[in-house]
Amino acid sequence: MSIARALGNAMSGLTATARGTETVAANLANAATPGYARREMAVSAQTAGGNAGGVRIDGVTRAVNASVLSESRLAEAARAEASTRLAFAKQIEDRIGIAGSTGGLGAALGDFRTALSSAASRPDDEIRLTQAVDKAQILANRLNAASDQVQAARSAADQAIAADVARLNKSLAEIAQLNRRIAVLEADGSDPSSLLDQRQGIIGEISKIVPVQEVTRPAGAVALFTAGGAVLLDGTTPTELSFTAAGQVTAGQTAGSGLALLTQNGADLTQSQMQLYAGGSLAANFAVRDELAPAVQASLDDLAFELHERLADPAVDGTLAATSAGLFTDDGARASLSGKTGLAGRIGINDAVVENAGGAAWRLRSGLNAATEGAVGDSTLLVAISAALDRSTLIPGTGFSGKASMTDRFGTVESLVSTTRVNAQSDAAIRNSQADTISSRLAADGVDSDAEMQRLLRYEQAYAANARVIQAIQTMMDQILGI
């Protein structure tokens, strides 16, 4: 081998070693960077005229396990969906309470019944009558607060949908732009790895909103579809999604009637078409706004309506007419089955027993529509009210089934809310475990600092070997020139 060829071989080795060291440094520096894929330098033997010609750098490749990456994206979408549902379930449980907890709906009903019993034992005691009125007001206030919490959750979900859609549109536009830039770099023979990392990270964020499937297209581009098959990006122009938030959501508003639908390329998506976007935070927020929260509101409205009907019965209070409001009212009037929606947020106490509103607590003893105060020792009405609450019956028009007391009704709703939270928590735990497991598998294919240090040692050894060759050539040249 000639001196010139030996020098060329050593120089190519030094060049490959320097490039390899750069890849190791980049891997270690970006080990924790989201979307970064481990770099590997590909080399091969270089020949010239059938003889060894050193080392040729074939390029730097990104080490990505496409199947595990796809599983990870789907798992992250499921995690985001479960997390959103769980957050809603916890909010509602915290407001409604669980059976036996203080501060919940059931506890407020229990306090009201206790106050009624106390007043019935001493109907002449104005303080006990006032306490019974106060407890009734607290019960109504807690129903109001629970209803407000439900509608606040719907409003938050509505705002979250708008935020998700805005992020989705922005991310899809960025992916389309990256597709074009990557195509240009590949056409020039440049390394687009950094742009590929950036694109992978953006797709990972999209997958939390909607589960996505990535399909490779020519010139390094990718197309994106939802797991249900909806096209997000296939070409240079992404799908245009739009949504208009309603602001403050009320109980009477539903999807398509006061609340916006998701629009794709100018057309509203139907309920069946929304299945194309199932999974992820977007679908979960739609579920909270249009399904989960309205179901809780309906249960609260049923409680409020039954509470109202039991105590607006003329058989309980003989001073009431068939159209009169009882102790509990719908914003001051008698509740109706047709106006039941949102009743839990409007229910209040009849002004006839509220001193600040011109009423008197003695009407809780003598009758809500009584013109004059009756016998102070008469506890008949107080006992009748307690009996009405304890009676096992079924009020037509509610969503409850079977006969039960008012206490049982409240317990049923509390149990339903608690069960929903437990199920949501269990599902979230499963989704988190699955996502963490797949994330660990994905990390195993990522940057391993120990392996990178071993590669660095090999590059160091290769550098030393090539440097010795050059040093030997220099010694030989010095000897030749000295002759």
Side-chain angles (χ1 to χ4, degrees):
M1 178 184 296
S2 67
I3 293 178
R5 181 170 296 175
L7 182 61
N9 290 349
M11 290 301 298
S12 68
L14 289 177
T15 301
T17 300
R19 186 70 178 276
T21 303
E22 289 177 2
T23 63
V24 170
N27 287 340
L28 292 174
N30 294 280
T33 302
Y36 181 81
R38 175 169 51 87
R39 307 290 197 263
E40 292 182 352
M41 185 181 65
V43 297
S44 61
Q46 185 172 258
T47 59
N51 297 316
V55 177
R56 179 177 59 242
I57 301 174
D58 296 326
V60 176
T61 60
R62 298 171 70 249
V64 178
N65 189 325
S67 62
V68 176
L69 180 60
S70 177
E71 288 183 36
S72 176
R73 289 169 178 169
L74 295 177
E76 288 300 328
R79 188 211 294 264
E81 180 181 25
S83 176
T84 302
R85 288 174 176 266
L86 176 59
F88 167 75
K90 284 183 175 180
Q91 288 176 1
I92 299 304
E93 185 186 57
D94 290 343
R95 175 58 64 182
I96 292 179
I98 60 176
S101 66
T102 59
L105 290 180
L109 177 64
D111 291 343
F112 176 48
R113 291 175 65 253
T114 300
L116 283 174
S117 298
S118 176
S121 67
R122 284 288 306 277
D124 60 315
D125 190 340
E126 290 292 330
I127 294 178
R128 298 193 184 197
L129 290 175
T130 301
Q131 287 177 341
V133 172
D134 290 343
K135 296 302 182 182
Q137 184 65 64
I138 291 173
L139 176 56
N141 290 342
R142 290 199 182 162
L143 282 168
N144 297 158
S147 179
D148 291 345
Q149 180 64 57
V150 171
Q151 298 313 312
R154 295 185 73 198
S155 299
D158 193 64
Q159 295 291 333
I161 292 170
D164 280 346
V165 171
R167 286 168 50 209
L168 190 55
N169 284 330
K170 180 175 181 293
S171 297
L172 290 174
E174 291 175 348
I175 296 296
Q177 176 65 18
L178 286 171
N179 278 346
R180 292 188 286 269
R181 293 174 61 189
I182 290 170
V184 171
L185 290 180
E186 290 200 345
D188 291 342
S190 302
D191 182 15
S193 295
S194 60
L195 297 183
L196 294 174
D197 289 339
Q198 184 179 352
R199 186 174 67 185
Q200 181 175 316
I202 296 174
I203 295 175
E205 291 302 312
I206 291 176
S207 68
K208 297 176 183 178
I209 303 173
V210 291
V212 294
Q213 297 284 2
E214 177 183 332
V215 179
T216 303
R217 293 291 189 243
V222 295
L224 298 179
F225 303 86
T226 68
V231 179
L232 295 176
L233 173 64
D234 192 4
T236 58
T237 304
T239 294
E240 183 180 353
L241 299 172
S242 61
F243 178 84
T244 303
Q248 183 63 42
V249 179
T250 60
Q253 293 178 305
T254 59
S257 179
L259 297 179
L261 300 172
L262 182 64
T263 300
Q264 179 177 342
N265 294 329
D268 289 340
L269 297 182
T270 64
Q271 191 67 28
S272 60
Q273 289 173 327
M274 281 300 298
Q275 294 300 315
L276 298 174
Y277 291 85
S281 62
L282 181 64
N285 283 315
F286 267 110
V288 169
R289 192 196 71 170
D290 300 334
E291 299 172 20
L292 302 179
V296 176
Q297 182 67 52
S299 295
L300 293 173
D301 292 341
D302 286 337
L303 285 178
F305 185 73
E306 181 161 341
L307 183 64
H308 170 279
E309 289 296 288
R310 285 174 181 257
L311 302 188
D313 188 354
V316 176
D317 183 351
T319 66
L320 299 177
T323 58
S324 300
L327 178 59
F328 293 95
T329 71
D330 181 358
D331 201 14
R334 184 181 178 94
S336 64
L337 190 59
S338 61
K340 186 182 67 170
T341 300
L343 176 60
R346 303 188 304 270
I347 194 170
I349 299 301
N350 199 317
D351 287 345
V353 297
V354 180
E355 293 185 5
N356 293 337
W362 57 261
R363 287 195 174 89
L364 192 61
R365 177 188 63 222
S366 302
L368 292 174
N369 288 341
T372 59
E373 185 175 0
V376 295
D378 187 3
S379 63
T380 304
L381 179 54
L382 294 168
V383 172
I385 293 174
S386 294
L389 295 175
D390 295 338
R391 185 179 303 117
S392 182
T393 187
L394 175 63
I395 301 298
T398 66
F400 298 122
S401 60
K403 297 180 179 181
S405 68
M406 206 67 236
T407 299
D408 292 336
R409 296 297 192 213
F410 274 72
T412 297
V413 173
E414 289 177 332
S415 177
L416 178 63
V417 169
S418 180
T419 300
T420 300
R421 191 269 306 164
V422 170
N423 291 339
Q425 193 164 20
S426 176
D427 184 58
I430 293 173
R431 301 301 182 187
N432 287 335
S433 177
Q434 291 174 340
D436 290 341
T437 299
I438 296 174
S439 178
S440 297
R441 290 171 54 194
L442 189 63
D445 293 327
V447 177
D448 183 342
S449 58
D450 291 338
E452 294 300 321
M453 294 306 297
Q454 291 176 0
R455 289 174 58 194
L456 187 61
L457 288 175
R458 290 198 297 270
Y459 286 134
E460 182 182 0
Q461 293 170 355
Y463 181 88
N466 285 290
R468 284 196 296 272
V469 171
I470 294 176
Q471 185 178 15
I473 292 174
Q474 183 180 6
T475 300
M476 292 174 60
M477 293 298 297
D478 289 341
Q479 292 177 350
I480 291 172
L481 293 174
I483 296 176

